[in-house]
Each structure stands twice: as structure tokens, then as C-alpha cells.
Amino acid sequence: MHLAAHFPGVNATTVWADPRSRSQIDFSSFVHLARTAERGKFDFFFLAEGLRLREHNGRIHDLDVVGRPESLTVLNALAAVTERLGLAATVNATFNEPYELARRLATLDHLSAGRAAWNVVTSSDAFTGENFRRGGYLDRADRYTRAAEFVATARELWDSWTPGGESRPFAHEGEQFTVSGEFTVPRSPQGHPVVIQAGDSGEGREFAASAADIIFTRHGTLEAGRDFYADVKARLAAYGRQPDDLKIMPGVTVVTGDTDAEAQERAYEIRRQQVSPQNAILAAEQLWGTDLSAYDPDGPLPEIDPVIDSGLVKGRVLHGDPFGVVARWRAVAEAKGLSLRQTVIETTTRQSFIGSPQTVAAELTAFVDERAADGFILVPHLTPGGLDDFVDRVVPLLQESGAFRSEYSGSTLRSHLGLAEPVWKG
């Protein structure tokens, strides 16, 4: 089993009202979570990215984090206070350039002695693009085309230095990029930093099968996980790759207690804290695309239809057809007699694994044994101590059963993941 830690704060996950909650920007918070993950022998520490603060009805969207430091800068600092933990940054392939980003990633790989990873994401919205010279020029259909060539170009740059330390000129000419010259950073300890791809769409799955080492995904049930796992692994052969060349790691949340019943009570309280009455209205507005401030969060769901592309919410990726999601919410509310707030709690914030440490360890192991995942990226609800309980109480059980490592067997992230160093293609 592979395990990673996602720094919390994105998508209203964090319970800020908890007295143990601390800053999402202060370096000590990053250090606490990273060192906890390394104490638990996790594969890597994972940072998200936000290139523009989200807006809701013309205001800054303040339900997740306001202010995200630049990820690679944070990871370079964490490289000095950790020894084995992999360090993964989400960096956008739309609003960066291959030469500059390849240098930054190779530098992190050197400074960390081979622990760097890049989570490749794309963007096509003009709202984010307004922060950049090109604006929202990139058509949505082209975002993975650019990303695929971006990754391929970065790998050409990394391969322009031989394993023996000799620099050679590079030249790349393609539809997206034309670059040439000499790369300034020698071949790094891993050869190439590990590449992660986040996405569940058909395009995303194909891109991961062709170019990624890890796919960061989401699926809520064992059956859905098995279907996704089988689909993505089956795509690898077309690119001359083996099933173990790509690790499938869904993002999950975990709540534990001394008993399963206590864990369920804790999970419900966490969901209530994540979805305050105000948060419930804002979550519904994101789906309906219209101002719902006149509605009672403890009353019924709105009877109106969603407004598509209303512009009410900017900078947020919406998942699924709004009409279909609204229909599902209404069915759940009617079947269980739920208010608007209760429906939001029921449909949007359910934790993935809930139970005693023994129950959680057994369920995580079952997902891996039944080929629904190769491991998990844990998203805690508390900054920065949200993984403390898992590392102290669940990880030892996974180690005792042989499902998870007791010690690191190598020093690089590729060694943690069981990935071979890429063949030099200079």
C-alpha cells in the first residue's frame, strides 16, 4: 500500500472552528504535517495550487483558504527539514513554460536528493487566465494537448544531460512549444521527477496512461474504485507500459474513534462543522448558479432549475451535470426527509473511511487487495494535526499486517513507489 498526505485547506475541507486549527500559510504548519507523514513512512507530501482566489457572487470565495504560497518554494524549504518523504507540487501546465518549470523541478529533485514530484494540472478558464499575459486563450479541448507536449518537452530537457554528467544541446519543435539551447541543471537523482496526474475524465485517464507515474483520483465505493482501476490499467498496454508503471491513488478522508460508533459520531460532527448554515446556502448556489440567500438552510431545497454558466461562481471546477446533481439531491432529500443543509451534508461531505483503527485499517487493505487502488492520498480535516491520529493508531496496524512498510527501503520517491528510474533517451 502507498500513502500520501495532502495539505488540507482546499474545497472547504478544513474545520476552522476547531481550537486546534492553525495557519494554512505559516511554515510551521507545513513542517508539522510533513514530519507527521514522514514519521508514518508515507510515500509523499502533496500540495495543491491556486492561481487565483475564487469568487462567489462578486466576492472572494472564503470557504477554503485565502492565500496559497507557491508550492515549489514551500517544498524546497521542506526538503531541509525532512529526509525521505517525497515532495509533490501541483503546477499548472497551461500558465507555465517547459524550460522554466523543468529547471525548478530538477532543482527540487537535487535539493531533496531525489524526492520531487509534479502534479500536472490544466486550466482553460478566462477567469484564471486574467492573471497571465495570455488570458483565457486556451480552448478547453486543447488543454490536455498542451499538457502532454509540456510533459514530453520537460522530459527532453531532463534527458539533455547524460547519466554521466555531460550536457548536450536540446531542440524541441512542436505545436505548442519551440525551444532550444542547453539545460542548466544536471540530471537529477531520480532521472526525472515523478509525474502525477489528477483527473477522472476520459481525457484525463488517457493522459495518465500515456505520461503519468501516479493518478490522483476520486471514487466513493469499492465497486467504483475497481471499475476505475481496471479501466486505467487496461489503457497502459497501448503505450508499451506495464500495470505497475502507474499507481492509482484516490484522495480519501478518514475519521477514527475507539469504537465504530464513536467514529460515526465524530464524523457527523465534522460534517456539521464543515457545512454551517451559510456554507449550505453557498454550496447550493454553486450548484444552482443563482442567488439563494432568501432561502432557509433548514427548509426545503429550491424548486427552481439550475442556471447554466451564470457566472455567479468563478474559479471553481464544477463536477457533473447540474440538472442531474440537483435531481439526485432532491431524491435524497425526499427519501430521507432532509432540509437543504442536511442534504448538503449528506451528499457532499461524507468521509471515505470511518471506524475504529482496526476497521479503517481493514477497509483500506481491502481496497488495495481487491484492486480498487494502489494506495491513498489522505486529506485531513484539520490543519496541521489532522493526520496525527491516523499515523499513531492506524499505520501501526497496517505495518503489523504487512500491508504497509515499517521502514523506508530507499531514499528516492521512485524507490518508495517501486518505480524504475526512467531510461535515458538523450
Side-chain angles (χ1 to χ4, degrees):
M1 182 187 302
H2 300 285
L3 294 175
H6 189 290
F7 190 78
V10 181
N11 297 324
T13 300
T14 300
V15 177
W16 296 108
D18 192 304
R20 297 169 296 173
S21 180
R22 288 161 46 192
S23 172
Q24 81 282 6
I25 295 177
D26 192 277
F27 186 57
S28 64
S29 292
F30 295 103
V31 172
H32 182 110
L33 189 68
R35 285 179 167 169
T36 300
E38 186 162 71
R39 178 164 58 84
K41 314 303 179 187
F42 279 38
D43 292 66
F44 60 93
F45 173 90
F46 188 26
L47 285 177
E49 179 183 65
L51 295 179
R52 181 166 181 174
L53 298 179
R54 297 163 174 172
E55 291 184 11
H56 187 109
N57 202 16
R59 296 181 175 183
I60 296 299
H61 185 73
D62 196 11
L63 294 185
D64 43 19
V65 295
V66 171
R68 293 185 199 166
E70 196 278 320
S71 297
L72 283 170
T73 304
V74 173
L75 295 183
N76 278 307
L78 287 177
V81 296
T82 56
E83 295 180 355
R84 299 290 186 90
L85 184 69
L87 302 168
T90 302
V91 186
N92 198 298
T94 304
F95 300 114
N96 283 283
E97 296 297 326
Y99 181 83
E100 191 263 347
L101 181 55
R103 289 179 70 233
R104 292 163 63 201
L105 288 163
T107 299
L108 174 61
D109 209 40
H110 275 286
L111 291 178
S112 64
R115 297 185 279 138
W118 170 26
N119 179 39
V120 184
V121 297
T122 64
S123 178
S124 62
D125 65 288
F127 176 74
T128 299
E130 288 173 359
N131 279 350
F132 297 87
R133 178 173 57 84
R134 294 183 193 82
Y137 82 99
L138 188 66
D139 187 84
R140 182 175 178 82
D142 294 332
R143 59 191 183 126
Y144 279 117
T145 301
R146 178 182 171 92
E149 188 175 333
F150 196 121
V151 173
T153 305
R155 284 174 168 156
E156 290 177 31
L157 299 175
W158 294 327
D159 276 343
S160 66
W161 281 75
T162 70
E166 178 185 353
S167 173
R168 297 183 178 183
F170 66 83
H172 173 92
E173 184 171 350
E175 293 182 4
Q176 299 290 327
F177 309 105
T178 299
V179 294
S180 61
E182 291 206 15
F183 196 52
T184 61
V185 186
R187 190 170 178 84
S188 64
Q190 294 187 108
H192 301 168
V194 169
V195 171
I196 307 170
Q197 192 272 332
D200 286 347
S201 68
E203 290 176 309
R205 297 181 191 203
E206 202 66 28
F207 177 54
S210 68
D213 301 303
I214 301 169
I215 183 167
F216 176 31
T217 181
R218 56 187 179 90
H219 45 67
T221 66
L222 183 64
E223 182 178 0
R226 284 203 303 239
D227 290 344
F228 180 88
Y229 190 97
D231 176 76
V232 172
K233 295 282 186 175
R235 297 172 188 252
L236 292 167
Y239 300 98
R241 306 181 69 194
Q242 300 299 314
D244 285 343
D245 291 342
L246 176 66
K247 307 301 180 184
I248 296 176
M249 299 181 67
V252 300
T253 55
V254 174
V255 179
T256 60
D258 289 340
T259 64
D260 289 351
E262 180 183 307
Q264 290 290 347
E265 291 178 5
R266 289 187 63 195
Y268 181 72
E269 181 57 27
I270 290 168
R271 291 200 295 271
R272 286 188 68 256
Q273 291 176 308
Q274 289 170 330
V275 184
S276 67
Q278 179 197 22
N279 288 6
I281 292 295
L282 292 174
E285 287 180 342
Q286 291 166 13
L287 179 57
W288 264 270
T290 191
D291 187 339
L292 300 176
S293 57
Y295 284 78
D296 181 1
D298 293 319
L301 270 63
E303 296 182 356
I304 59 176
D305 289 332
V307 179
I308 305 300
D309 297 328
S310 68
L312 183 80
V313 179
K314 295 182 178 181
R316 178 178 291 277
V317 177
L318 300 179
H319 298 284
D321 167 40
F323 286 91
V325 177
V326 165
R328 180 167 62 85
W329 279 27
R330 286 175 173 155
V332 170
E334 183 177 355
K336 298 187 177 183
L338 303 180
S339 67
L340 171 57
R341 182 187 179 197
Q342 290 170 329
T343 302
V344 175
I345 291 172
E346 179 74 16
T347 58
T348 65
T349 59
R350 184 171 297 281
Q351 283 78 11
S352 309
F353 297 93
I354 304 170
S356 67
Q358 293 79 8
T359 296
V360 169
E363 291 181 353
L364 291 170
T365 302
F367 262 68
V368 174
D369 288 346
E370 299 191 33
R371 298 186 178 183
D374 293 310
F376 308 92
I377 297 176
L378 275 69
V379 185
H381 71 277
L382 188 64
T383 306
L387 281 183
D388 293 0
D389 192 59
F390 182 89
V391 168
D392 290 337
R393 305 184 69 189
V394 179
V395 167
L397 298 176
L398 295 172
Q399 292 170 330
E400 289 172 11
S401 69
F404 187 63
R405 68 173 66 87
S406 295
E407 294 292 341
Y408 291 111
S409 59
S411 60
T412 69
L413 178 53
R414 288 187 177 275
S415 67
H416 303 341
L417 295 166
L419 297 171
E421 182 177 324
V423 176
W424 180 65
K425 297 179 180 179

